[in-house]
Amino acid sequence: MSFRSLTPEVLSQLIAALPESVLAGDALSEDYAHDEMVSAGFRMPDAVVRARSTEEVSKACEILYANNIPIIPRGAGTGLSGGCAPIHGGVVIDLTRMNHILRWDMDNSLVHIEAGVVLADLTAACAERGMFYPPDPGQRFAAVGGNVATNAGGMRAVKYGCTREYVRTLTVVLPDGRVVKLGGEPSKNSSGYSLLHLMVGSEGTLGIITEIGLKIIPQPKFTVSLLGMFEDLAACIRCVPTVKRSGLDPQALEFMPRSNVVRAEKFMEKVVYPAKSEGSDVGAYLLTTFDCRREEEMVEIMEAAAEVMLEGGALDVLVFDNANAMKTAWDVRRAVPEAILATYEKVEECDIVVPISYIAETVEYALSLTEEVGLEIHTYGHAGDGNIHIKLCANGMEEQEFRVRSDKFLDLIYARGKGMNALISGEHGIGAVSVRRLEDYAGRDVMDLMRGIKAVFDPKGLLNPGKGLHVCDGLT
């Protein structure tokens, strides 16, 4: 099946069916050509449908499918893998206007939302009701539908898991315009194949998620954050398994080298973390948060966690035990990727995930490749679940040379990762970035199964082509 470009006749059909929702020509913004990782894919779409309902998404898909035009779902565009870039042209379905919380079901601890609801708005609305939506990807202004499409993880995944654990129901528009409901509100479900969980993490290649039913939990009453300070990054990372084995069940556990903290504090225009401790220069930090239901338990956890980190090699441990202090401490961590992006003209990211026992080896190997690939390399990430963010950076370098050097690094790190039971992506997804590496990791048999699944949902291969896996001859 070969893709077709959007003709004036088909554009007229779209406008007639959706008179206030179609953008084309000069009305198109360059933002629709890419996500936050511009190097992962850049191409202007033929048109954009700014859908306001499941019905509008369905109408658009029905018209586009009948005319063999690629369909690209898009949330807030905060992804880091080119997942919403229309790299083969076609029409983008923008879901950001579908941003309503539909209903609360407090008796069953559920909230039903449209896919364009922003994560920050959802978490704030939950907090107003004494409830908690645990998934916490670094980008708070991502659309929750995009989080579901990529099975986003984030900082609290070490205790609470990724987005998949909280999805109970989905309304999905198939590429030909049919609407299906997946999952169920009960907490248990053994009713046939779990198409719900197949859709979570499918990166917009099987269907367009328009409505979501999410599990929420009571808001933890007490939280505390601790900052362990270490002489170097190796000592910091070696402490991670010790904290994990302590039985204290951290909500989040993040590592940062000193260089990234300095960059983040400069970006924030605020100094937060000490540069020295016990007379020694601090080389790295381990930031963790714990939560519980009773105040006395919080004191016990705080004391035990500090002791564990000190015994694990920390020079000292700082405690942040009120909301303002904790926010300031975590603002530094959240600013790290933004500060890196603000420092360099070209940035590529790898979010390899390894068993936590291999974190130190992976980080050390990544940094050792600096001279070999000729790029500046920065690491940080989710120490509690082995998801390491590696940023490859350069200034004053031609795009082609940067791509060659980045690809060399990625080939090397993923080859090394095979011996450590690594996976290609912990939370960003395959998108357009890692398509060629997926089969190498998954193997031919698994890829054939995935292609078969894709063919059932999308036999023409029109939905988000070029993402996740190659499925048809239309990728030209």
Side-chain angles (χ1 to χ4, degrees), residues 385-459:
D385 53 33
N387 190 188
I388 304 164
H389 294 292
I390 306 170
K391 277 191 160 55
L392 313 173
C393 309
N395 284 323
M397 186 178 291
E398 293 296 324
E399 179 66 27
Q400 184 57 35
E401 182 180 359
F402 180 69
R403 290 261 57 84
V404 169
R405 292 171 183 264
S406 296
D407 285 343
K408 181 178 181 179
F409 174 89
L410 294 170
D411 287 342
L412 290 168
I413 196 75
Y414 283 123
R416 183 66 168 260
K418 280 187 173 181
M420 298 183 287
N421 299 314
L423 295 172
I424 291 176
S425 172
E427 57 190 6
H428 293 169
I430 300 302
V433 172
S434 300
V435 169
R436 71 180 181 85
R437 294 184 176 87
L438 182 59
E439 183 157 358
D440 184 43
Y441 259 65
R444 181 178 296 276
D445 290 341
V446 170
M447 289 298 294
D448 285 345
L449 289 171
M450 287 197 282
R451 290 189 181 104
I453 291 167
K454 170 71 170 175
V456 169
F457 280 84
D458 182 19

Side-chain angles (χ1 to χ4, degrees), residues 30-44 74 80-88 348 399 403 431-433 467:
E30 191 178 277
D31 289 343
Y32 287 113
H34 59 87
D35 64 9
E36 288 295 316
M37 193 60 66
V38 178
S39 62
F42 185 98
R43 178 170 171 173
M44 290 294 288
R74 179 186 175 92
L80 292 167
S81 67
C84 65
I87 59 175
H88 295 287
E348 177 68 271
E399 179 66 27
R403 290 261 57 84
V433 172
K467 316 297 173 55

Side-chain angles (χ1 to χ4, degrees), residues 4-7 11 14 22-35 41-50 64 69-74 84-94 464 467:
R4 295 179 183 172
S5 298
L6 184 69
T7 63
L11 178 59
L14 282 174
V22 180
L23 301 177
D26 292 341
L28 291 175
S29 164
E30 191 178 277
D31 289 343
Y32 287 113
H34 59 87
D35 64 9
F42 185 98
R43 178 170 171 173
M44 290 294 288
D46 298 331
V48 172
V49 173
R50 298 194 67 213
L64 297 170
I69 295 168
I71 305 164
I72 302 91
R74 179 186 175 92
C84 65
I87 59 175
H88 295 287
V91 173
V92 166
I93 308 293
D94 177 357
N464 215 8
K467 316 297 173 55

Side-chain angles (χ1 to χ4, degrees), residues 154-452:
M155 302 178 196
R156 291 195 286 254
V158 60
K159 177 172 183 174
Y160 289 109
C162 297
T163 301
R164 175 175 280 113
E165 280 72 46
Y166 298 89
V167 179
R168 287 281 181 79
T169 66
L170 291 175
T171 299
V172 177
V173 178
L174 300 178
D176 60 6
R178 287 176 294 162
V179 178
V180 295
K181 309 272 189 180
L182 303 178
E185 294 186 7
S187 59
K188 298 170 74 173
N189 186 352
S190 294
S191 308
Y193 295 153
S194 181
L195 300 182
L196 173 88
H197 289 98
L198 186 61
M199 195 62 60
V200 177
S202 62
E203 300 186 48
T205 62
L206 302 181
I208 301 178
I209 297 164
T210 59
E211 295 180 14
I212 311 161
L214 294 166
K215 178 180 73 173
I216 52 179
I217 64 175
Q219 181 80 32
K221 290 192 178 296
F222 299 97
T223 57
V224 65
S225 292
L226 285 80
L227 182 72
M229 295 170 283
F230 296 81
E231 283 194 280
D232 53 46
L233 187 58
C236 174
I237 294 173
R238 282 197 301 268
C239 186
V240 172
T242 304
V243 176
K244 287 278 288 182
R245 289 195 303 266
S246 67
L248 297 172
D249 201 13
Q251 180 197 96
L253 189 60
E254 301 285 310
F255 74 87
M256 293 167 282
R258 172 69 187 163
S259 58
N260 281 344
V261 167
V262 170
R263 187 173 291 105
E265 290 180 333
K266 183 178 179 181
F267 180 78
M268 296 168 60
E269 299 182 341
K270 180 188 295 186
V271 175
V272 181
Y273 294 178
K276 289 182 175 290
S277 178
E278 300 296 311
S280 299
D281 291 333
V282 177
Y285 304 87
L286 190 61
L287 179 62
T288 184
T289 292
F290 300 88
D291 59 32
C292 66
R293 302 291 295 174
R294 295 182 297 107
E295 187 172 8
E296 56 269 28
E297 183 184 0
M298 191 80 272
V299 174
E300 293 173 6
I301 290 173
M302 181 175 63
E303 293 175 350
E307 184 177 347
V308 166
M309 281 197 270
L310 289 168
E311 291 178 353
L315 298 169
D316 199 3
V317 178
L318 292 184
V319 175
F320 302 93
D321 58 359
N322 64 72
N324 287 336
M326 282 190 286
K327 180 183 182 303
T328 301
W330 281 96
D331 281 348
V332 176
R333 166 59 182 88
R334 294 185 189 281
V336 167
E338 295 180 72
I340 292 173
L341 289 171
T343 303
Y344 296 95
E345 298 168 0
K346 291 184 170 55
V347 179
E348 177 68 271
E349 177 155 350
C350 164
D351 83 315
I352 191 170
V353 59
V354 301
I356 61 171
S357 57
Y358 286 113
I359 294 176
E361 181 179 338
T362 305
V363 170
E364 288 169 5
Y365 180 68
L367 295 175
S368 76
L369 296 174
T370 299
E371 289 189 15
E372 184 172 349
V373 300
L375 296 172
E376 292 191 46
I377 298 172
H378 300 285
T379 65
Y380 61 94
H382 312 311
D385 53 33
N387 190 188
I388 304 164
H389 294 292
I390 306 170
K391 277 191 160 55
L392 313 173
C393 309
N395 284 323
M397 186 178 291
E398 293 296 324
E399 179 66 27
Q400 184 57 35
E401 182 180 359
F402 180 69
R403 290 261 57 84
V404 169
R405 292 171 183 264
S406 296
D407 285 343
K408 181 178 181 179
F409 174 89
L410 294 170
D411 287 342
L412 290 168
I413 196 75
Y414 283 123
R416 183 66 168 260
K418 280 187 173 181
M420 298 183 287
N421 299 314
L423 295 172
I424 291 176
S425 172
E427 57 190 6
H428 293 169
I430 300 302
V433 172
S434 300
V435 169
R436 71 180 181 85
R437 294 184 176 87
L438 182 59
E439 183 157 358
D440 184 43
Y441 259 65
R444 181 178 296 276
D445 290 341
V446 170
M447 289 298 294
D448 285 345
L449 289 171
M450 287 197 282
R451 290 189 181 104

Side-chain angles (χ1 to χ4, degrees), residues 104 106 109 111 122-123 125-136 140 156 159-160 166 214-220 223 251 291 293:
W104 298 89
M106 303 301 284
S109 298
V111 59
L122 175 62
T123 55
C126 286
E128 289 173 2
R129 292 160 176 81
M131 301 300 285
F132 185 45
Y133 177 65
D136 182 35
R140 307 302 303 282
R156 291 195 286 254
K159 177 172 183 174
Y160 289 109
Y166 298 89
L214 294 166
K215 178 180 73 173
I216 52 179
I217 64 175
Q219 181 80 32
T223 57
Q251 180 197 96
D291 59 32
R293 302 291 295 174

